[in-house]
């Protein structure tokens, strides 16, 4: 009965295809279709059901994203890749494969939610080690990363370069890390490269 309830079906796969095909002429149209995806899921699924609640949560997330500087195209691409990779997965011992039959909306919502809640809340870094860099590369750092010690310039450079493509950290607390003019230049490049970074705290750093 889905099409009897939902008058205008939409899913993130269709949005991504329209983006790739250049069908959108303005950002507002992209946002409208994304919102429609989640509103359809809210309207079709019963209140207090998992999909209904997730759709409400993701609708709020999308609207917050659009109010900031995050790249919707990048987020949609990741959601689609995750959904495609997990469509067929092992569910029982012996690697028995089963395909989860979900609406496009429910799959997109679950994958998008996993994307935004992935990883710990906070990561403290006192020293830049290979383990820290590996976590940054694997998107396993916390949403907030705090530098707790003064870092040598080469180490600070390695860390900030690793964060340029990181998808899990959105806030940097660099208070008193000794960034200086050198570090500020690296941070500017980081902010240009990674639109997920929402804020950087540079208190107690001397820079001209």
């Amino acid at each position: 009965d889905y099409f009897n309830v939902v008058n205008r079906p939409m899913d993130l796969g269709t949005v991504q295809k329209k983006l790739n095909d250049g069908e959108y002429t303005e950002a507002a149209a992209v946002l409208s279709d994304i919102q429609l995806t989640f509103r359809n899921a809210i309207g079709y699924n019963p209140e207090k059901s998992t999909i209904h609640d997730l759709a409400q949560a993701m609708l709020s997330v999308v609207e917050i994203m659009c109010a900031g500087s995050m790249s919707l195209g990048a987020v949609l691409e990741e959601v689609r890749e995750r959904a495609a990779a997990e469509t067929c997965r092992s569910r029982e011992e012996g690697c028995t494969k089963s395909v989860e039959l979900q609406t496009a909306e429910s799959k997109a919502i679950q994958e998008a939610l996993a994307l935004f809640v992935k990883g710990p809340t906070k990561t403290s870094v006192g020293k830049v080690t290979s383990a820290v860099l590996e976590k940054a590369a694997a998107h396993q750092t916390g949403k907030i990363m705090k530098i707790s010690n003064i870092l040598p310039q080469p180490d600070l450079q390695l860390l900030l370069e690793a964060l340029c493509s990181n998808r899990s950290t959105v806030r940097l607390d660099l208070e008193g890390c000794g960034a200086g003019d050198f570090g500020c230049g690296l941070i500017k490049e980081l902010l240009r490269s990674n639109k997920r970074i929402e804020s950087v705290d540079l208190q107690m750093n001397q820079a001209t």
Side-chain angles (χ1 to χ4, degrees):
D1 65 343
Y2 182 80
F3 294 103
N4 293 328
V5 177
V6 177
N7 296 324
R8 294 176 55 209
M10 182 55 61
D11 61 84
L12 294 184
T14 298
V15 174
Q16 184 67 64
K17 184 176 186 303
K18 291 171 72 173
L19 280 168
N20 293 340
D21 294 344
E23 293 185 31
Y24 293 112
T25 59
E26 55 184 17
V30 182
L31 175 58
S32 178
D33 277 353
I34 294 173
Q35 290 172 319
L36 178 61
T37 296
F38 296 126
R39 285 173 179 154
N40 283 346
I42 292 169
Y44 179 75
N45 293 280
E47 289 188 15
K48 298 185 179 181
S49 68
T50 300
I51 299 304
H52 183 278
D53 291 346
L54 288 176
Q56 286 187 319
M58 286 311 304
L59 181 60
S60 297
V61 168
V62 167
E63 290 171 346
I64 291 170
M65 286 166 47
C66 290
S69 59
M70 291 185 179
S71 168
L72 282 175
V75 172
L76 285 172
E77 183 60 29
E78 288 186 27
V79 172
R80 290 294 298 153
E81 288 176 359
R82 282 167 167 263
E86 296 189 11
T87 298
C88 184
R89 58 187 173 184
S90 177
R91 295 295 298 275
E92 300 174 359
E93 289 186 10
C95 295
T96 301
K97 298 290 184 178
S98 66
V99 177
E100 290 191 356
L101 299 178
Q102 300 174 306
T103 65
E105 288 85 353
S106 65
K107 182 185 295 182
I109 292 164
Q110 291 184 52
E111 298 302 331
L113 187 67
L115 177 66
F116 283 98
V117 302
K118 182 180 179 181
T121 301
K122 189 173 184 177
T123 295
S124 293
V125 177
K127 183 179 180 180
V128 178
T129 63
S130 58
V132 170
L133 296 176
E134 287 172 2
K135 283 187 176 181
H139 320 294
Q140 294 176 352
T141 49
K143 291 184 177 181
I144 301 172
M145 178 179 287
K146 179 176 176 58
I147 309 302
S148 55
N149 289 325
I150 294 177
L151 298 180
Q153 288 186 351
D155 288 357
L156 181 62
Q157 181 171 1
L158 285 173
L159 179 61
L160 295 180
E161 287 178 349
L163 290 173
C164 282
S165 57
N166 179 273
R167 299 193 300 267
S168 56
T169 295
V170 297
R171 177 183 171 188
L172 293 176
D173 184 350
L174 304 180
E175 182 177 348
C177 77
D181 291 336
F182 174 79
C184 288
L186 294 174
I187 291 166
K188 288 180 181 178
E189 181 58 35
L190 169 63
L191 294 175
R192 281 194 292 266
S193 302
N194 190 342
K195 299 302 183 183
R196 292 177 182 275
I197 303 296
E198 298 174 354
S199 65
V200 179
D201 186 349
L202 285 170
Q203 295 186 61
M204 306 294 291
N205 285 282
Q206 294 184 351
T208 58

